Amino acid sequence: MDGFNGLLGRRRSCRRFAGGEIGADDVRLILEAALLSPTSRSKRAWHFTVVDDALLLAQLADAKDTGAQFLKGAAVAVVVAADATADDCWIEDCSIAAWSMQLQAEALGLGSCWAQIRGRGLSDGTAAADVVRGVLGLPPELGVLCVVGFGRKAGGDDGTPRGGDGLKWENVHINGF
């Protein structure tokens, strides 16, 4: 498998990172992938906040009860948000941008994982988005979709590409359900 299908087949969510920094050129390419992503009506209402400070990464990891602890080991994370008052398709636009960044990371040989923020929170009722806004000083009109962590892969994945027999073709319907 090579090309785009190979890239899709190789990509896995990476929740364990090997440590070490990610070069500025690689971070720039990851951000460029987000900025090149399509948006509804070309609104481009998204905002990307890059975090490489270990203390801030730890605070972001604790923004919700489960599913974000891997951020503590990431070299860098990108908070994906958008002005929810400016674009009713902000969730879709941010999702495309986040996925574009993850594909770019895989193409660079880096690991990534998405931590869902929108609609998640802490057991005391605090919204994860409010925690993220507080940690980073984001304005209240920004809807926070996710935080994507990036880093060098720690291993544990055998690297076997997905595809072939494992695809759920039974979920594909043509001209109706």
Side-chain angles (χ1 to χ4, degrees):
M1 244 193 248
D2 59 351
F4 188 69
N5 278 348
L7 180 71
L8 288 175
R10 284 190 313 274
R11 199 216 66 82
R12 302 280 194 288
S13 292
C14 180
R15 292 178 181 85
R16 286 186 30 243
F17 299 103
E21 295 181 4
I22 297 176
D25 290 341
D26 287 346
V27 173
R28 181 177 173 82
L29 285 171
I30 289 168
L31 292 169
E32 201 171 282
L35 294 168
L36 286 169
S37 65
T39 63
S40 174
R41 299 179 309 277
S42 292
K43 289 265 188 168
R44 296 180 185 97
W46 23 234
H47 292 267
F48 308 103
T49 304
V50 180
V51 180
D52 62 3
D53 178 89
L55 178 60
L56 293 176
L57 288 168
Q59 290 174 326
L60 293 175
D62 292 334
K64 60 183 194 162
D65 287 332
T66 61
Q69 290 302 304
F70 67 87
L71 291 170
K72 291 179 181 178
V76 66
V78 178
V79 175
V80 182
D83 184 346
T85 65
D87 185 4
D88 65 333
C89 293
W90 73 272
I91 295 168
E92 294 85 350
D93 293 347
C94 285
S95 296
I96 295 167
W99 180 233
S100 295
M101 288 191 290
Q102 289 191 274
L103 289 176
Q104 180 62 68
E106 182 62 38
L108 294 168
L110 299 170
S112 69
C113 191
W114 168 311
Q116 178 70 21
I117 298 299
R118 186 186 67 79
R120 302 298 189 265
L122 297 168
S123 57
D124 68 4
T126 304
D130 290 339
V131 175
V132 172
R133 280 189 208 94
V135 167
L136 299 175
L138 302 180
E141 68 272 8
L142 286 188
V144 181
L145 178 69
C146 65
V147 181
V148 183
F150 300 93
R152 306 219 174 275
K153 298 176 185 179
D157 179 7
D158 67 4
T160 304
R162 285 185 300 227
D165 296 336
L167 298 178
K168 292 192 71 161
W169 287 103
E170 65 272 19
N171 290 2
V172 175
H173 311 280
I174 299 172
N175 294 327
F177 198 91

